[in-house]
Amino acid sequence: MSRIWRISGSAITYLWLLAFVGIPFVAVLTGALAGGWRPFWQCVTSQEALFALRMTGEITGVTLLVNLTLGVPMAFWIARKTVPGWRMVQWIVELPLAVSPVVAGLALIVVYGPNALLGRLLETVHIKVAFAFPGMVLATVFLTLPFIVHETVPAIRAIGNTQEQAAYVLGASPWRTLWRVWLPQLKWSLLYGLALTTARSFGEFGAVLVVSGSIVMVTETATLFVYQASVNSELQAAYAVSATLALASFFLIVAMQFLKRVGGRSLRGH
Amino acid sequence: MAIEFVEVEKVYPGGTRSVRGVSFQIREGEMVGVLGPSGSGKTTVLRLITGLERPTKGDVWIGGRRVTDLPPQQRNVGLVFQNYALFQHMTVYDNISFGLKEKRVSQNEIDHRVRELLRFMRLETYANRFPHELSGGQQQRVALARALAPRPQILLFDEPFAAIDTQIRRELRTFVRQVHEETGVTSLFVTHDQEEALEVADRVLVLHEGRVEQLGTPEEVYERPETLFVASFIGESNVWMRPLQNGHVEVAGIALPVDPSLPDSAEVAVVVRPKDVQIEPASADEAHAQVIRSAFKGAYSACWVRTKDCEIWEVHIPSTERHRESAGTWVRMRVLKSFVFPR
């Protein structure tokens, strides 16, 4: 009896995978390659598609850098609970998990838009946030910051602070302690957080759509390109860029599984 | 290096007063045991020496230099943590070399020093192991080697043996003492185990509720306790509260001598150690007490007697004397030594 349950249990899992991952993935790939490699390649390497893919790459890259420099101190701030304001920081970091990306994008327009006070102020020093690259990065950072913080806070708490104190007594400055004691031990959590960030940045749509205005060859990312192409019934182009994004996600998932296994092993060692 | 505390006070954020006006001096090359019940401030005293805590008031001096505001990085102090706090991602070798690297010692010198310590700590075969692959005793030795590597002026231990089995704890205790003798570095170790403190330390610093009760040799704190707390905390003791009458105090019908400076009719605490009482069988009229129970404890026999005031005394009889009084025997007691403290 239990064997039947087990078999049907895994059958359901596989069916689920097939229905929601396998079939759509294959459909996108076949759609992209329906006319063979040449049209696929032409679509992906068209000026507009290349620009969109590069834009997504650039936003992701900058977001990763910003998240790393902001996320690590924030994670310490929250994990330590000694510096006042940590509750506020935690609240701000967790907000995006509850807020719709479109709302987040709109909020950025309200604050940084050309008709808003801050937006106009920044424009006088020639910094354009809304409908421009900075705004898109800002939206992506806002939405992805929780990942790195969420991954590292438990790790920081598990390690505690006696190793840090040991390093201080042995003559290491706080900065050196971060490099020699903290980062090597937070490595796997950070990488996992960064992988999640990358995945989210690749796929981000709503917030970026609102904040960028989706201007072709100016603020159009890969997901915006796919949307625009499908709306314009340029299905070949939509499939081609989708397939590229899907492949990137596939490799990311494989990388994350690897990180989880290796990181999990090194954590168990503790 | 000598250590001096001058009226040091430490109030933690939230108002907990951990150390209240503590002053003491520790001489160069001494090994001092910091003894006290939990919450007495002993770990805080240690952390004030390392610089991991700064005093709220007062000053800390190390080797004639005021270090009150010096960060831990600049104090050249070695600290062995209660749970070792080894760097989990580093091998034994890298753990031991950590402090030397921070001091920018040459690679050759680092290697020489680490090898020397590995040998000294009997850890040569474990150089490439990670902390989680070691036993508690081995981790303890790595922690000690790591603390010793940069040749600290002062070596501190925070409850170093708390997490180790009794058998290995004995060995490590002897080992730590041996390390102290070979390096000659001024050492302090925190413990709540008085046996440990008395055995290993040259002098014992007894703390209670954030104050120094006494700083003295093991003999001094045991044989000449300065306060009621020290007398009752160190070693076994019978403690009785009595009013002072006509310059003497009576327990179980036995008059005991009292410091004449104590005011008459004041309440005093009388402390009598079990080993300072002798008993011998006597008739019921002449006896002070009756034996309730006795137990063989190896080097001595413990004997509990009930006095005519219904107070229970513990009495120790050296095993060499060989006579154990059986329950029910009436005995006369002789108090060889007692301490009387004002309340």
Side-chain angles (χ1 to χ4, degrees):
Chain A
M1 198 61 187
S2 71
R3 196 159 157 229
I4 294 170
W5 280 115
R6 217 169 32 239
I7 290 170
S8 57
S10 46
I12 289 171
T13 312
Y14 283 118
L15 275 176
W16 189 89
L17 269 175
L18 204 63
F20 290 96
V21 184
I23 296 171
F25 191 65
V26 171
V28 166
L29 275 185
T30 49
L33 296 170
W37 283 99
R38 266 178 67 95
F40 170 78
W41 192 245
Q42 269 171 357
C43 282
V44 173
T45 52
S46 76
Q47 227 183 1
E48 198 187 327
L50 269 185
F51 181 90
L53 285 167
R54 207 178 58 226
M55 180 119 246
T56 292
E58 282 169 7
I59 289 176
T60 305
V62 177
T63 299
L64 287 176
L65 283 178
V66 173
N67 280 5
L68 206 55
T69 44
L70 278 184
V72 173
M74 276 177 155
F76 273 99
W77 196 347
I78 293 169
R80 284 291 165 78
K81 299 185 180 179
T82 45
V83 184
W86 68 270
R87 264 177 217 285
M88 192 69 175
V89 175
Q90 190 173 29
W91 189 79
I92 290 171
V93 168
E94 280 178 4
L95 192 65
L97 298 175
V99 169
S100 153
V102 177
V103 175
L106 202 63
L108 282 175
I109 294 288
V110 168
V111 178
Y112 293 103
N115 299 320
L117 183 69
L118 199 55
R120 248 181 309 183
L121 219 62
L122 285 170
E123 221 147 301
T124 55
V125 287
H126 301 289
I127 298 173
K128 202 164 171 252
V129 176
F131 310 118
F133 190 74
M136 295 158 82
V137 169
L138 218 55
T140 315
V141 165
F142 175 75
L143 291 169
T144 54
L145 198 56
F147 295 127
I148 218 161
V149 176
H150 264 249
E151 289 299 316
T152 40
V153 165
I156 293 171
R157 287 197 179 138
I159 292 164
N161 54 14
T162 55
Q163 290 183 48
E164 174 180 311
Q165 292 173 352
Y168 288 173
V169 176
L170 287 166
S173 65
W175 192 242
R176 292 274 300 163
T177 305
L178 181 69
W179 277 109
R180 292 193 67 192
V181 177
W182 279 113
L183 290 184
Q185 294 188 74
L186 295 176
K187 181 171 59 186
W188 298 114
S189 311
L190 283 174
L191 280 174
Y192 196 72
L194 288 177
L196 286 171
T197 302
T198 309
R200 188 76 159 83
S201 308
F202 278 175
E204 179 43 39
F205 178 74
V208 170
L209 174 67
V210 175
V211 91
S212 70
S214 191
I215 309 161
V216 175
M217 297 294 287
V218 180
T219 61
E220 194 180 50
T221 64
T223 47
L224 296 180
F225 176 91
V226 170
Y227 173 71
Q228 207 57 54
S230 66
V231 165
N232 298 347
S233 303
E234 296 160 11
L235 287 183
Q236 176 71 50
Y239 277 139
V241 173
S242 291
T244 313
L245 280 177
L247 273 176
S249 302
F250 176 76
F251 285 119
L252 211 58
I253 288 171
V254 172
M256 274 157 68
Q257 289 311 311
F258 172 77
L259 286 178
K260 243 185 184 169
R261 197 171 315 159
V262 178
R265 198 182 300 143
S266 87
L267 276 181
R268 268 197 302 283
H270 284 201
Chain B
M1 290 276 173
I3 304 168
E4 188 175 354
F5 270 45
V6 183
E7 286 298 315
V8 173
E9 206 168 294
K10 175 68 191 176
V11 184
Y12 283 108
T16 319
R17 239 168 231 275
S18 172
V19 166
R20 316 158 178 246
V22 161
S23 300
F24 60 81
Q25 286 181 1
I26 287 164
R27 295 186 284 264
E28 161 120 48
E30 252 189 319
M31 181 146 200
V32 172
V34 184
L35 185 61
S38 51
S40 57
K42 45 192 196 307
T43 295
T44 305
V45 164
L46 217 63
R47 292 172 65 85
L48 284 163
I49 300 172
T50 60
L52 289 170
E53 302 289 353
R54 305 279 172 91
T56 317
K57 253 193 241 161
D59 278 311
V60 178
W61 294 70
I62 295 178
R65 180 166 165 232
R66 187 175 161 276
V67 298
T68 315
D69 303 313
L70 219 56
Q73 285 88 348
Q74 292 168 34
R75 294 202 184 186
N76 199 15
V77 163
L79 172 60
V80 178
F81 285 76
Q82 184 167 5
N83 298 315
Y84 325 128
L86 295 177
F87 304 124
Q88 297 295 322
H89 59 299
M90 289 185 190
T91 61
V92 167
Y93 186 101
D94 290 339
N95 263 284
I96 299 175
S97 66
F98 189 97
L100 295 167
K101 274 193 188 150
E102 290 306 320
K103 278 191 155 182
R104 292 165 199 277
V105 177
S106 77
Q107 195 57 49
N108 256 341
E109 234 174 295
I110 290 180
D111 196 61
H112 184 78
R113 179 75 175 144
V114 175
R115 299 269 163 224
E116 178 184 58
L117 282 162
L118 284 169
R119 240 187 340 270
F120 185 40
M121 297 289 164
R122 304 190 297 268
L123 287 165
E124 289 120 310
T125 49
Y126 300 100
N128 296 319
R129 298 275 187 95
F130 284 92
H132 62 86
E133 299 171 319
L134 303 177
S135 73
Q138 289 164 342
Q139 291 191 39
Q140 172 77 309
R141 295 209 297 276
V142 177
L144 182 51
R146 182 179 70 177
L148 280 172
R151 302 183 194 280
Q153 308 172 317
I154 294 167
L155 194 54
L156 306 167
F157 300 86
D158 189 2
E159 303 253 2
F161 316 116
I164 297 176
D165 310 333
T166 323
Q167 180 59 37
I168 300 171
R169 193 179 331 177
R170 290 240 168 79
E171 275 175 42
L172 271 171
R173 218 188 269 172
T174 323
F175 186 64
V176 164
R177 182 67 215 186
Q178 189 192 330
V179 169
H180 173 73
E181 258 138 44
E182 286 184 30
T183 57
V185 61
T186 311
S187 310
L188 259 90
F189 68 98
V190 159
T191 178
H192 58 255
D193 180 347
Q194 44 163 307
E195 192 196 324
E196 200 167 282
L198 297 181
E199 183 188 316
V200 183
D202 297 320
R203 287 202 296 166
V204 179
L205 177 70
V206 187
L207 293 178
H208 177 49
E209 290 179 344
R211 290 181 214 281
V212 174
E213 294 278 336
Q214 191 169 353
L215 172 58
T217 63
E219 291 85 347
E220 280 165 357
V221 293
Y222 187 83
E223 299 290 355
R224 291 190 292 284
E226 284 167 7
T227 65
L228 170 60
F229 176 80
V230 176
S232 53
F233 186 69
I234 299 204
E236 284 111 334
S237 45
N238 300 291
V239 183
W240 313 112
M241 296 301 165
R242 287 287 188 279
L244 201 59
Q245 278 166 342
N246 307 323
H248 71 267
V249 69
E250 244 186 48
V251 283
I254 306 163
L256 298 174
V258 171
D259 180 349
S261 67
L262 287 172
D264 207 36
S265 76
E267 266 254 301
V268 291
V270 182
V271 180
V272 180
R273 298 218 184 275
K275 70 165 183 68
D276 293 331
V277 186
Q278 285 182 343
I279 54 174
E280 54 189 43
S283 67
D285 323 333
E286 286 184 311
H288 294 119
Q290 191 175 25
V291 175
I292 311 168
R293 194 169 86 82
S294 62
F296 178 68
K297 294 229 178 175
Y300 62 89
S301 290
C303 192
W304 289 271
V305 302
R306 189 192 289 120
T307 65
K308 289 179 172 164
D309 309 331
C310 278
E311 287 168 340
I312 312 285
W313 286 54
E314 188 177 340
V315 178
H316 291 175
I317 306 156
S319 292
T320 47
E321 289 185 15
R322 288 275 354 132
H323 69 277
R324 268 169 74 189
E325 306 299 345
S326 51
T329 313
W330 287 98
V331 290
R332 273 190 78 77
M333 299 198 292
R334 211 147 70 90
V335 175
L336 303 177
K337 191 173 176 185
S338 61
F339 311 106
V340 177
F341 299 99
R343 282 211 64 198

